Structure formats: C-alpha cells, structure tokens
Amino acid sequence: RQTVGEIVGPVTVVSGKQRRLTFIECPQDLNAMVDTAKVADLVLLIVDGSFGFEMETFEYLNMLQVHGFPKVIGVLTHLDHFTSMSQLRKVKKKLKHRFWTEIYDGAKLFYFSGLVHGKYPKREVLNLARFISVQKFRPLQWRTEHPYLLADRMEDMTPDGAVHEDPRCSRDVCLYGYLRGSNLRPNTRVHVAGVGDFDCAEVTELPDPCPCPGRGGGRRHLAEGTKLLHAPMSHVGGVRFDQDAMYVDIPDWKMQYSQAGPDGR
C-alpha cells in the first residue's frame, strides 16, 4: 500500500512467502525491448483497446520468440472510451482472437476499464496481481546455464579527484541487483547491455533488502509487515546495503524533533 510517484528502474515486491517479483517498464525503444526480452520471465503486454495492436507489439513478440518465448499475459486498457456495449464486446472479441493468433489459443487476457482518480480500479488490479503471484515460469536453458543480473542501483566509485582531472578517465562502477541463473565468479568478462564487455573485479554477497518471509507461521496470506517494496532508483525502499555500510532513509514527515529550550539547545 505504497504509492510510487515516478517509476524509475526496476521495482521489486514480495508477492508470496517464497516468491519475489521484479517489475521493469519497457519503453517503445528497439534497444530497450531487446534488453528486456533477454531477462523477462513474464511479459505484461499492455494494449490500448481503443487503438488496437501497434507495430511495436508484433516486433516485441518476435524478439520474445527468438529469446525462448517466456510467458505472456495481455492487458487491454482504455476500454472506457467505448460508449456502446455492443461495440465494446465486438472489439474485445476481435483483439482476443488476434492475441491468441500471436501467442496461443487460450492465452490469458485481462481487461482494464479505465482510470478512476488517476488509478485503475482496485478489483481489476487485484485480479491481475493474484494471477501473476501463482504463475509458474518455464525455465529457459540458456538462462539457467549463464549468470545474469538486472541492476536496480548503480554507484560510481571513481575518486572525485581523478574525474576532475580527466572527465574521460576509466571509471570504477558498482552495480547492485539480484543475481539469477548460475554463479557469477570474479575476474570474468561480463557484458553490459548497450555499453560493451568489461572485467568484473569483485563479486560480493550482500543482505537481501527485500527478503521473503518463508513458510510457516500458520497464515496463508502475507502479513502487512512482510509486504516489502524495493525500488532504489525510484527512491523507495528505505534501506540500502553497501559493502561496508547500511543506509536507512527516513522521510521528513516521520521525524519528530524536540522543542528547543530557553538556551536554544
């Protein structure tokens, strides 16, 4: 129950006692679509119901087929633009069969009616969230045999003096994120999408900023305190772990200061 003003970078949430989900928004850019197709286990294909399928939609589906074709769920939006119910049913049926042609017969398709006070109806979002939380993802062979990391935070560790002397000097960059696939070993070559190949100097295991509660407790649903959200690029999460320190962000509206005494202390 936390509002994120602006989505920047990956957003990780705890969806179950042993499941953690990371969401990332893919822009309509060819390079971004290729990069997300490499790491996505589940794709939420958002389609404007009042407009229909766009060319970028079919291009992205072709990219997914090349990279193993992970599970795809369709979401139709802007359905409140239709004033006639008969026209709405006709458009739903047409888009559903077109979606099935591209994916497979019976592919799941959700319908979002429209925005209410800037948000989609809670019941429609809840139905989608519950369906995602119980999905079983098919493991892809290439991903299980290779380590890969979706960075949710980046820090430039280059000394300020070196950058001041030569702005184009070699940089030391530290990337934080969840490692998936196989094990990542130090002193190996890693490929940064859109940048190139680099040497990995060090790999360090840090505490989980968004841990799963695990089984037990006698409760089928998550307690309110275990519904964690981790989005460092969006300045959401509260706790950040570095190699030698831990930072806790406390909003100003949660701070309570004591009144100053007569002497100003």
Side-chain angles (χ1 to χ4, degrees), residues 12-14 209-212 224-230:
T12 303
V13 297
V14 175
C210 196
C212 297
E224 195 65 30
T226 59
K227 297 179 180 179
L228 302 178
L229 175 64
H230 180 63

mmCIF file of all heavy atoms in Angstrom, residues 12-14 209-212 224-230:
data_model
loop_
_atom_site.group_PDB
_atom_site.id
_atom_site.type_symbol
_atom_site.label_atom_id
_atom_site.label_comp_id
_atom_site.label_asym_id
_atom_site.label_seq_id
_atom_site.Cartn_x
_atom_site.Cartn_y
_atom_site.Cartn_z
ATOM 1 N N THR A 12 10.984 -4.056 -7.093
ATOM 2 C CA THR A 12 10.908 -5.408 -6.549
ATOM 3 C C THR A 12 9.909 -5.443 -5.403
ATOM 4 O O THR A 12 9.947 -4.593 -4.511
ATOM 5 C CB THR A 12 12.282 -5.876 -6.050
ATOM 6 O OG1 THR A 12 13.221 -5.802 -7.128
ATOM 7 C CG2 THR A 12 12.227 -7.309 -5.554
ATOM 8 N N VAL A 13 9.011 -6.425 -5.437
ATOM 9 C CA VAL A 13 7.995 -6.583 -4.393
ATOM 10 C C VAL A 13 7.973 -8.037 -3.947
ATOM 11 O O VAL A 13 8.340 -8.948 -4.705
ATOM 12 C CB VAL A 13 6.590 -6.159 -4.895
ATOM 13 C CG1 VAL A 13 6.555 -4.692 -5.245
ATOM 14 C CG2 VAL A 13 6.179 -7.003 -6.098
ATOM 15 N N VAL A 14 7.545 -8.255 -2.712
ATOM 16 C CA VAL A 14 7.337 -9.597 -2.183
ATOM 17 C C VAL A 14 5.901 -9.995 -2.458
ATOM 18 O O VAL A 14 4.964 -9.342 -1.984
ATOM 19 C CB VAL A 14 7.643 -9.653 -0.673
ATOM 20 C CG1 VAL A 14 7.294 -11.021 -0.108
ATOM 21 C CG2 VAL A 14 9.107 -9.359 -0.420
ATOM 22 N N PRO A 209 17.731 -6.861 0.615
ATOM 23 C CA PRO A 209 16.925 -5.710 1.045
ATOM 24 C C PRO A 209 15.427 -5.959 0.987
ATOM 25 O O PRO A 209 14.654 -5.200 1.544
ATOM 26 C CB PRO A 209 17.336 -4.620 0.047
ATOM 27 C CG PRO A 209 17.729 -5.366 -1.174
ATOM 28 C CD PRO A 209 18.350 -6.650 -0.695
ATOM 29 N N CYS A 210 15.028 -7.037 0.321
ATOM 30 C CA CYS A 210 13.598 -7.351 0.191
ATOM 31 C C CYS A 210 13.415 -8.849 0.429
ATOM 32 O O CYS A 210 13.077 -9.602 -0.502
ATOM 33 C CB CYS A 210 13.111 -6.944 -1.201
ATOM 34 S SG CYS A 210 11.323 -6.828 -1.395
ATOM 35 N N PRO A 211 13.629 -9.334 1.652
ATOM 36 C CA PRO A 211 13.624 -10.782 1.905
ATOM 37 C C PRO A 211 12.218 -11.360 1.895
ATOM 38 O O PRO A 211 11.231 -10.690 2.236
ATOM 39 C CB PRO A 211 14.269 -10.891 3.293
ATOM 40 C CG PRO A 211 13.933 -9.599 3.964
ATOM 41 C CD PRO A 211 13.912 -8.560 2.870
ATOM 42 N N CYS A 212 12.137 -12.628 1.506
ATOM 43 C CA CYS A 212 10.880 -13.353 1.575
ATOM 44 C C CYS A 212 10.681 -13.900 2.986
ATOM 45 O O CYS A 212 11.642 -14.361 3.602
ATOM 46 C CB CYS A 212 10.860 -14.491 0.560
ATOM 47 S SG CYS A 212 10.967 -13.962 -1.164
ATOM 48 N N GLU A 224 1.109 -7.701 6.999
ATOM 49 C CA GLU A 224 1.310 -6.353 6.469
ATOM 50 C C GLU A 224 2.779 -5.939 6.544
ATOM 51 O O GLU A 224 3.275 -5.234 5.666
ATOM 52 C CB GLU A 224 0.447 -5.358 7.259
ATOM 53 C CG GLU A 224 0.299 -4.000 6.588
ATOM 54 C CD GLU A 224 -0.454 -4.086 5.282
ATOM 55 O OE1 GLU A 224 -1.315 -4.971 5.147
ATOM 56 O OE2 GLU A 224 -0.178 -3.265 4.377
ATOM 57 N N GLY A 225 3.488 -6.404 7.556
ATOM 58 C CA GLY A 225 4.888 -6.023 7.691
ATOM 59 C C GLY A 225 5.818 -6.711 6.714
ATOM 60 O O GLY A 225 6.956 -6.287 6.535
ATOM 61 N N THR A 226 5.348 -7.804 6.077
ATOM 62 C CA THR A 226 6.183 -8.537 5.124
ATOM 63 C C THR A 226 5.925 -8.129 3.684
ATOM 64 O O THR A 226 6.585 -8.651 2.780
ATOM 65 C CB THR A 226 5.951 -10.050 5.275
ATOM 66 O OG1 THR A 226 4.564 -10.338 5.040
ATOM 67 C CG2 THR A 226 6.335 -10.512 6.663
ATOM 68 N N LYS A 227 5.003 -7.224 3.440
ATOM 69 C CA LYS A 227 4.729 -6.752 2.083
ATOM 70 C C LYS A 227 5.725 -5.643 1.748
ATOM 71 O O LYS A 227 5.430 -4.453 1.859
ATOM 72 C CB LYS A 227 3.288 -6.247 1.965
ATOM 73 C CG LYS A 227 2.239 -7.327 2.215
ATOM 74 C CD LYS A 227 0.835 -6.761 2.116
ATOM 75 C CE LYS A 227 -0.212 -7.835 2.375
ATOM 76 N NZ LYS A 227 -1.596 -7.304 2.305
ATOM 77 N N LEU A 228 6.918 -6.064 1.372
ATOM 78 C CA LEU A 228 8.017 -5.129 1.176
ATOM 79 C C LEU A 228 8.070 -4.662 -0.274
ATOM 80 O O LEU A 228 7.634 -5.347 -1.189
ATOM 81 C CB LEU A 228 9.338 -5.781 1.564
ATOM 82 C CG LEU A 228 9.434 -6.289 3.012
ATOM 83 C CD1 LEU A 228 10.770 -6.949 3.248
ATOM 84 C CD2 LEU A 228 9.212 -5.144 3.990
ATOM 85 N N LEU A 229 8.633 -3.470 -0.444
ATOM 86 C CA LEU A 229 8.809 -2.861 -1.754
ATOM 87 C C LEU A 229 10.211 -2.280 -1.815
ATOM 88 O O LEU A 229 10.646 -1.575 -0.900
ATOM 89 C CB LEU A 229 7.766 -1.759 -1.981
ATOM 90 C CG LEU A 229 7.884 -0.932 -3.266
ATOM 91 C CD1 LEU A 229 7.668 -1.805 -4.478
ATOM 92 C CD2 LEU A 229 6.882 0.216 -3.248
ATOM 93 N N HIS A 230 10.936 -2.609 -2.895
ATOM 94 C CA HIS A 230 12.327 -2.180 -3.042
ATOM 95 C C HIS A 230 12.499 -1.582 -4.435
ATOM 96 O O HIS A 230 12.388 -2.289 -5.443
ATOM 97 C CB HIS A 230 13.270 -3.370 -2.847
ATOM 98 C CG HIS A 230 14.722 -3.018 -2.979
ATOM 99 N ND1 HIS A 230 15.359 -2.145 -2.114
ATOM 100 C CD2 HIS A 230 15.667 -3.394 -3.875
ATOM 101 C CE1 HIS A 230 16.624 -2.018 -2.463
ATOM 102 N NE2 HIS A 230 16.838 -2.750 -3.541
#
